[in-house]
Amino acid sequence: MKLTEVLVTVLISLLLVTGITYAYSACVKNYSQIIEKEKDNLVVLYVDREMRKEISSFCVPYWKNSDEKRFVLEERVRKIAEENNCEVKRVEVLKKKSREAGLEVEWTYLDKKIITKEFFASRVWF
């Protein structure tokens, strides 16, 4: 075997090993980023579900004024967000036929803006 054949073989082997190593390290790096994103998404889904559960369980008869109890509900929603490192930007009342029917909560988690809309249990059909 000539020296040039040996050098070409070594060079090709070195290129293959470098390519395989680069591909493997890229896969590992991307996999860890995917895991981190999934953890963030789980927090968002959990907070959204808890907010919806809290809002949908709100029950005030249609003939009563719900301002006082709604304030307590808004504070509970804010507490759920705070416990999970989220920030509530805005809480707005959804109206249906000029009656309060639900809440729209705008909140952020890791600079992502999320809007949760849910109707009250007692006011959906009015």
Side-chain angles (χ1 to χ4, degrees):
M1 218 192 267
K2 295 183 181 179
L3 182 62
T4 55
E5 291 175 350
V6 172
L7 287 176
V8 168
T9 305
V10 169
L11 181 64
I12 290 173
S13 299
L14 185 62
L15 287 173
L16 281 173
V17 168
T18 304
I20 290 171
T21 304
Y22 177 76
Y24 177 75
S25 66
C27 287
V28 169
K29 180 181 172 186
N30 288 336
Y31 181 73
S32 64
Q33 288 177 349
I34 289 170
I35 296 297
E36 289 299 316
K37 292 284 185 190
E38 286 299 315
K39 288 178 184 176
D40 295 343
N41 289 339
L42 283 175
V43 170
V44 169
L45 288 173
Y46 174 77
V47 171
D48 186 66
R49 185 188 71 202
E50 291 299 314
M51 283 183 182
R52 287 178 187 276
K53 191 184 335 177
E54 199 67 41
I55 294 168
S56 68
S57 67
F58 183 70
C59 187
V60 175
Y62 68 91
W63 61 86
K64 289 187 179 178
N65 190 357
S66 65
D67 289 340
E68 184 178 310
K69 289 187 177 184
R70 194 184 72 239
F71 179 74
V72 173
L73 174 67
E74 289 176 11
E75 289 304 313
R76 281 190 274 169
V77 167
R78 288 180 194 279
K79 186 177 180 197
I80 290 170
E82 263 182 32
E83 289 173 351
N84 293 287
N85 300 324
C86 302
E87 181 182 354
V88 174
K89 297 288 187 183
R90 174 177 61 87
V91 178
E92 189 174 299
V93 177
L94 296 174
K95 296 203 176 220
K96 198 172 196 179
K97 295 184 181 176
S98 73
R99 293 190 186 267
E100 296 174 351
L103 285 182
E104 178 180 315
V105 183
E106 181 181 320
W107 53 286
T108 58
Y109 179 69
L110 298 178
D111 298 328
K112 285 192 261 182
K113 178 182 158 187
I114 300 128
I115 296 176
T116 300
K117 293 181 182 179
E118 186 67 31
F119 287 109
F120 301 142
S122 61
R123 305 276 175 117
V124 173
W125 304 108
F126 297 104

mmCIF file of all heavy atoms in Angstrom, residues 69-87:
data_model
loop_
_atom_site.group_PDB
_atom_site.id
_atom_site.type_symbol
_atom_site.label_atom_id
_atom_site.label_comp_id
_atom_site.label_asym_id
_atom_site.label_seq_id
_atom_site.Cartn_x
_atom_site.Cartn_y
_atom_site.Cartn_z
ATOM 1 N N LYS A 69 -68.299 38.421 44.943
ATOM 2 C CA LYS A 69 -67.784 37.054 44.805
ATOM 3 C C LYS A 69 -66.827 36.947 43.618
ATOM 4 O O LYS A 69 -65.892 36.163 43.643
ATOM 5 C CB LYS A 69 -68.931 36.065 44.655
ATOM 6 C CG LYS A 69 -69.707 35.877 45.932
ATOM 7 C CD LYS A 69 -70.719 34.780 45.777
ATOM 8 C CE LYS A 69 -71.441 34.565 47.093
ATOM 9 N NZ LYS A 69 -72.373 33.463 47.030
ATOM 10 N N ARG A 70 -67.077 37.719 42.564
ATOM 11 C CA ARG A 70 -66.187 37.697 41.412
ATOM 12 C C ARG A 70 -64.802 38.226 41.772
ATOM 13 O O ARG A 70 -63.798 37.734 41.287
ATOM 14 C CB ARG A 70 -66.783 38.497 40.260
ATOM 15 C CG ARG A 70 -66.065 38.226 38.946
ATOM 16 C CD ARG A 70 -66.560 39.073 37.813
ATOM 17 N NE ARG A 70 -66.118 40.442 38.007
ATOM 18 C CZ ARG A 70 -66.915 41.482 38.113
ATOM 19 N NH1 ARG A 70 -68.205 41.353 38.056
ATOM 20 N NH2 ARG A 70 -66.429 42.687 38.294
ATOM 21 N N PHE A 71 -64.750 39.218 42.650
ATOM 22 C CA PHE A 71 -63.461 39.738 43.105
ATOM 23 C C PHE A 71 -62.660 38.641 43.794
ATOM 24 O O PHE A 71 -61.452 38.515 43.574
ATOM 25 C CB PHE A 71 -63.672 40.931 44.049
ATOM 26 C CG PHE A 71 -62.394 41.495 44.578
ATOM 27 C CD1 PHE A 71 -61.560 42.252 43.773
ATOM 28 C CD2 PHE A 71 -62.003 41.233 45.882
ATOM 29 C CE1 PHE A 71 -60.369 42.762 44.257
ATOM 30 C CE2 PHE A 71 -60.817 41.734 46.379
ATOM 31 C CZ PHE A 71 -59.999 42.509 45.569
ATOM 32 N N VAL A 72 -63.320 37.846 44.622
ATOM 33 C CA VAL A 72 -62.651 36.724 45.292
ATOM 34 C C VAL A 72 -62.156 35.714 44.260
ATOM 35 O O VAL A 72 -61.041 35.192 44.361
ATOM 36 C CB VAL A 72 -63.605 36.057 46.311
ATOM 37 C CG1 VAL A 72 -62.984 34.795 46.884
ATOM 38 C CG2 VAL A 72 -63.970 37.038 47.404
ATOM 39 N N LEU A 73 -62.974 35.449 43.237
ATOM 40 C CA LEU A 73 -62.581 34.534 42.165
ATOM 41 C C LEU A 73 -61.353 35.047 41.420
ATOM 42 O O LEU A 73 -60.427 34.287 41.147
ATOM 43 C CB LEU A 73 -63.738 34.335 41.191
ATOM 44 C CG LEU A 73 -63.429 33.521 39.936
ATOM 45 C CD1 LEU A 73 -63.124 32.075 40.306
ATOM 46 C CD2 LEU A 73 -64.587 33.593 38.965
ATOM 47 N N GLU A 74 -61.338 36.342 41.122
ATOM 48 C CA GLU A 74 -60.188 36.921 40.430
ATOM 49 C C GLU A 74 -58.919 36.781 41.274
ATOM 50 O O GLU A 74 -57.836 36.497 40.747
ATOM 51 C CB GLU A 74 -60.454 38.389 40.098
ATOM 52 C CG GLU A 74 -61.473 38.581 39.010
ATOM 53 C CD GLU A 74 -61.802 40.041 38.761
ATOM 54 O OE1 GLU A 74 -61.089 40.923 39.295
ATOM 55 O OE2 GLU A 74 -62.769 40.302 38.023
ATOM 56 N N GLU A 75 -59.044 36.966 42.569
ATOM 57 C CA GLU A 75 -57.880 36.806 43.446
ATOM 58 C C GLU A 75 -57.396 35.352 43.480
ATOM 59 O O GLU A 75 -56.198 35.096 43.507
ATOM 60 C CB GLU A 75 -58.210 37.293 44.866
ATOM 61 C CG GLU A 75 -58.357 38.794 44.967
ATOM 62 C CD GLU A 75 -57.120 39.532 44.457
ATOM 63 O OE1 GLU A 75 -56.003 39.162 44.835
ATOM 64 O OE2 GLU A 75 -57.297 40.474 43.665
ATOM 65 N N ARG A 76 -58.322 34.405 43.457
ATOM 66 C CA ARG A 76 -57.924 32.993 43.413
ATOM 67 C C ARG A 76 -57.207 32.660 42.103
ATOM 68 O O ARG A 76 -56.220 31.917 42.093
ATOM 69 C CB ARG A 76 -59.137 32.084 43.587
ATOM 70 C CG ARG A 76 -59.555 31.986 45.037
ATOM 71 C CD ARG A 76 -60.579 30.910 45.211
ATOM 72 N NE ARG A 76 -61.887 31.514 44.943
ATOM 73 C CZ ARG A 76 -63.009 30.859 44.793
ATOM 74 N NH1 ARG A 76 -63.022 29.559 44.876
ATOM 75 N NH2 ARG A 76 -64.132 31.507 44.561
ATOM 76 N N VAL A 77 -57.688 33.233 41.001
ATOM 77 C CA VAL A 77 -57.041 33.012 39.702
ATOM 78 C C VAL A 77 -55.632 33.609 39.714
ATOM 79 O O VAL A 77 -54.671 32.997 39.239
ATOM 80 C CB VAL A 77 -57.900 33.608 38.561
ATOM 81 C CG1 VAL A 77 -57.130 33.683 37.273
ATOM 82 C CG2 VAL A 77 -59.165 32.788 38.384
ATOM 83 N N ARG A 78 -55.494 34.800 40.279
ATOM 84 C CA ARG A 78 -54.166 35.424 40.372
ATOM 85 C C ARG A 78 -53.224 34.598 41.251
ATOM 86 O O ARG A 78 -52.037 34.464 40.960
ATOM 87 C CB ARG A 78 -54.284 36.840 40.925
ATOM 88 C CG ARG A 78 -54.896 37.819 39.957
ATOM 89 C CD ARG A 78 -54.988 39.221 40.564
ATOM 90 N NE ARG A 78 -55.841 40.083 39.798
ATOM 91 C CZ ARG A 78 -55.480 40.732 38.698
ATOM 92 N NH1 ARG A 78 -54.250 40.591 38.245
ATOM 93 N NH2 ARG A 78 -56.332 41.505 38.059
ATOM 94 N N LYS A 79 -53.777 34.017 42.316
ATOM 95 C CA LYS A 79 -52.956 33.191 43.209
ATOM 96 C C LYS A 79 -52.470 31.933 42.503
ATOM 97 O O LYS A 79 -51.318 31.525 42.671
ATOM 98 C CB LYS A 79 -53.757 32.827 44.455
ATOM 99 C CG LYS A 79 -52.952 32.099 45.480
ATOM 100 C CD LYS A 79 -53.748 31.809 46.720
ATOM 101 C CE LYS A 79 -52.860 31.075 47.701
ATOM 102 N NZ LYS A 79 -53.591 30.403 48.737
ATOM 103 N N ILE A 80 -53.336 31.326 41.706
ATOM 104 C CA ILE A 80 -52.929 30.141 40.942
ATOM 105 C C ILE A 80 -51.764 30.488 40.024
ATOM 106 O O ILE A 80 -50.791 29.746 39.926
ATOM 107 C CB ILE A 80 -54.115 29.587 40.121
ATOM 108 C CG1 ILE A 80 -55.157 28.966 41.040
ATOM 109 C CG2 ILE A 80 -53.645 28.568 39.092
ATOM 110 C CD1 ILE A 80 -56.461 28.621 40.348
ATOM 111 N N ALA A 81 -51.854 31.636 39.369
ATOM 112 C CA ALA A 81 -50.785 32.056 38.460
ATOM 113 C C ALA A 81 -49.508 32.355 39.234
ATOM 114 O O ALA A 81 -48.409 31.947 38.816
ATOM 115 C CB ALA A 81 -51.226 33.285 37.674
ATOM 116 N N GLU A 82 -49.618 33.051 40.349
ATOM 117 C CA GLU A 82 -48.437 33.398 41.143
ATOM 118 C C GLU A 82 -47.695 32.160 41.633
ATOM 119 O O GLU A 82 -46.472 32.132 41.645
ATOM 120 C CB GLU A 82 -48.852 34.230 42.356
ATOM 121 C CG GLU A 82 -48.700 35.699 42.171
ATOM 122 C CD GLU A 82 -49.097 36.449 43.429
ATOM 123 O OE1 GLU A 82 -48.900 35.922 44.549
ATOM 124 O OE2 GLU A 82 -49.615 37.552 43.277
ATOM 125 N N GLU A 83 -48.443 31.157 42.069
ATOM 126 C CA GLU A 83 -47.823 29.936 42.595
ATOM 127 C C GLU A 83 -46.993 29.215 41.538
ATOM 128 O O GLU A 83 -46.109 28.436 41.876
ATOM 129 C CB GLU A 83 -48.898 28.997 43.133
ATOM 130 C CG GLU A 83 -49.547 29.487 44.403
ATOM 131 C CD GLU A 83 -50.721 28.635 44.820
ATOM 132 O OE1 GLU A 83 -51.140 27.750 44.037
ATOM 133 O OE2 GLU A 83 -51.233 28.849 45.927
ATOM 134 N N ASN A 84 -47.278 29.462 40.278
ATOM 135 C CA ASN A 84 -46.574 28.782 39.192
ATOM 136 C C ASN A 84 -45.703 29.737 38.373
ATOM 137 O O ASN A 84 -45.428 29.491 37.205
ATOM 138 C CB ASN A 84 -47.596 28.097 38.281
ATOM 139 C CG ASN A 84 -48.278 26.967 39.004
ATOM 140 O OD1 ASN A 84 -47.691 25.929 39.239
ATOM 141 N ND2 ASN A 84 -49.521 27.178 39.392
ATOM 142 N N ASN A 85 -45.270 30.828 38.999
ATOM 143 C CA ASN A 85 -44.366 31.805 38.382
ATOM 144 C C ASN A 85 -44.935 32.428 37.114
ATOM 145 O O ASN A 85 -44.214 32.669 36.151
ATOM 146 C CB ASN A 85 -43.003 31.190 38.094
ATOM 147 C CG ASN A 85 -42.330 30.681 39.347
ATOM 148 O OD1 ASN A 85 -42.459 31.285 40.398
ATOM 149 N ND2 ASN A 85 -41.643 29.576 39.239
ATOM 150 N N CYS A 86 -46.232 32.668 37.110
ATOM 151 C CA CYS A 86 -46.892 33.327 35.990
ATOM 152 C C CYS A 86 -47.363 34.697 36.456
ATOM 153 O O CYS A 86 -47.536 34.929 37.643
ATOM 154 C CB CYS A 86 -48.087 32.513 35.507
ATOM 155 S SG CYS A 86 -47.669 30.854 34.989
ATOM 156 N N GLU A 87 -47.571 35.571 35.486
ATOM 157 C CA GLU A 87 -48.020 36.915 35.818
ATOM 158 C C GLU A 87 -49.332 37.209 35.085
ATOM 159 O O GLU A 87 -49.403 37.098 33.864
ATOM 160 C CB GLU A 87 -46.966 37.936 35.396
ATOM 161 C CG GLU A 87 -47.323 39.350 35.726
ATOM 162 C CD GLU A 87 -46.284 40.333 35.246
ATOM 163 O OE1 GLU A 87 -45.230 39.919 34.743
ATOM 164 O OE2 GLU A 87 -46.560 41.537 35.355
#
